[in-house]
Amino acid sequence: MNEYPLPTPHPTAAHPARVYNVWLGGKDHYPVDQEAAELAAGANPTIVPSVRANRAFLGRAVRHLASEGIRQFLDIGTGIPAAENTHEVAQQAAPESRVVYVDNDPIVLTHARALLVSGPEGQTDYVQADARDVDTILDAASRTLDLSRPVGLMLVAILQYIKDAEDPWDITQRLLDRLAPGSFLVLSHPAADVTAPEVAESMRIYNERAASHASATPRTQKEVARFLDGLEVLEPGVVTLTRWRPAPADTPDDTLPMWCAVARKA
């Protein structure tokens, strides 16, 4: 029996990738996802702006890694394709960039294969696996990525779906252990200590409608910082989404309940 069961193609419970798609204004979801997304957003009006700010953070982080010479990216928790995907941002900066996308939902991977198409100089690949299944992910990623060279590991709004009892900190460390020195971790995570009552209520609503393997746990800034233990954390550290190296025209919004950071493996 698979230790990390994958969702069925026709779920009766909400899935985070499809709920996220609702919040981004997409059309690739089921009624159960629509219901979970709308009720959660009703309890916490910062969700939709947070999702969009999270997408903008991903773009800024990928552009920074590209400026540091990173040409390989492992994006775990791909989600249904939207604008400014990892490979698009990376290949705008360096057309030869290679990206491996990982998600556990077969619907997500179907969309990814159709829409996340590399430019001619680079390469994309797609792995269906649970984020907890480290060996499967890395063994499959090594078909496309050279793990002896630096990789940008993207754990953007995914670790909240791994329960404390499953030790997401150890899972993150095991992923990093197999990556070369000079690799980077790009991380974002719902906050338990920013507008906490609203976050808790929206998470409760979502979790009631999600499959057990896809329930979410917000975490404090201190708990999120633990994911970066042993790494060189880039300035400005663990901050809210709009505080991480914003563009000059960006307006900071510290009410958005997500922490983010970028760190380098020495």
Side-chain angles (χ1 to χ4, degrees):
M1 183 177 179
N2 189 347
E3 184 180 359
Y4 304 105
L6 300 174
T8 60
H10 300 287
T12 57
H15 185 277
R18 296 189 302 271
V19 172
Y20 199 87
N21 179 258
V22 177
W23 289 330
L24 283 174
K27 300 182 183 301
D28 300 306
H29 49 263
Y30 292 104
V32 68
D33 306 305
Q34 181 88 28
E35 178 189 40
E38 290 178 352
L39 289 172
N44 178 11
T46 67
I47 283 182
V48 172
S50 293
V51 164
R52 293 171 181 168
N54 188 58
R55 200 72 180 178
F57 160 70
L58 181 149
R60 296 195 305 275
V62 170
R63 281 187 284 273
H64 177 76
L65 266 57
S67 74
E68 292 288 327
I70 299 297
R71 299 294 181 264
Q72 305 187 108
F73 297 84
L74 177 58
D75 187 335
I76 300 177
T78 304
I80 292 171
E84 292 278 282
N85 297 288
T86 297
H87 82 283
E88 293 171 330
V89 178
Q91 291 181 357
Q92 285 169 5
E96 71 275 21
S97 296
R98 296 183 170 208
V99 178
V100 172
Y101 290 108
V102 181
D103 206 286
N104 69 346
D105 188 333
I107 294 171
V108 169
L109 269 296
T110 297
H111 285 284
R113 289 187 178 96
L115 299 174
L116 301 183
V117 180
S118 173
E121 297 176 52
Q123 189 171 346
T124 57
D125 196 9
Y126 320 95
V127 176
Q128 186 181 358
D130 190 282
R132 298 165 293 179
D133 197 351
V134 171
D135 291 337
T136 295
I137 289 171
L138 292 174
D139 290 348
S142 67
R143 298 192 303 254
T144 302
L145 308 180
D146 180 356
L147 301 187
S148 70
R149 299 175 60 197
V151 172
L153 173 61
M154 314 295 295
L155 297 178
V156 176
I158 183 64
L159 291 169
Q160 69 267 26
Y161 301 113
I162 304 176
K163 299 176 178 66
D164 286 357
E166 297 168 317
D167 202 343
W169 298 277
D170 178 67
I171 289 169
T172 302
Q173 186 60 57
R174 287 166 54 210
L175 286 164
L176 289 165
D177 283 347
R178 284 188 53 186
L179 300 184
S183 293
F184 285 84
L185 171 62
V186 175
L187 170 72
S188 67
H189 196 296
D193 46 357
V194 179
T195 60
E198 294 85 354
V199 174
E201 177 62 9
S202 65
M203 286 286 183
R204 183 192 66 78
I205 291 169
Y206 164 78
N207 287 340
E208 284 180 348
R209 290 157 177 80
S212 60
H213 69 273
S215 61
T217 303
R219 295 187 170 99
T220 66
Q221 186 181 31
K222 184 176 181 180
E223 289 172 318
V224 172
R226 281 183 57 197
F227 291 111
L228 311 172
D229 284 353
L231 303 177
E232 174 193 343
V233 182
L234 276 58
E235 293 293 337
V238 181
V239 294
T240 51
L241 291 167
T242 58
R243 293 285 181 183
W244 198 88
R245 305 193 178 193
D250 290 345
T251 301
D253 185 350
D254 291 327
T255 69
L256 302 184
M258 289 191 77
W259 298 115
C260 67
V262 178
R264 182 180 180 275
K265 178 180 177 179

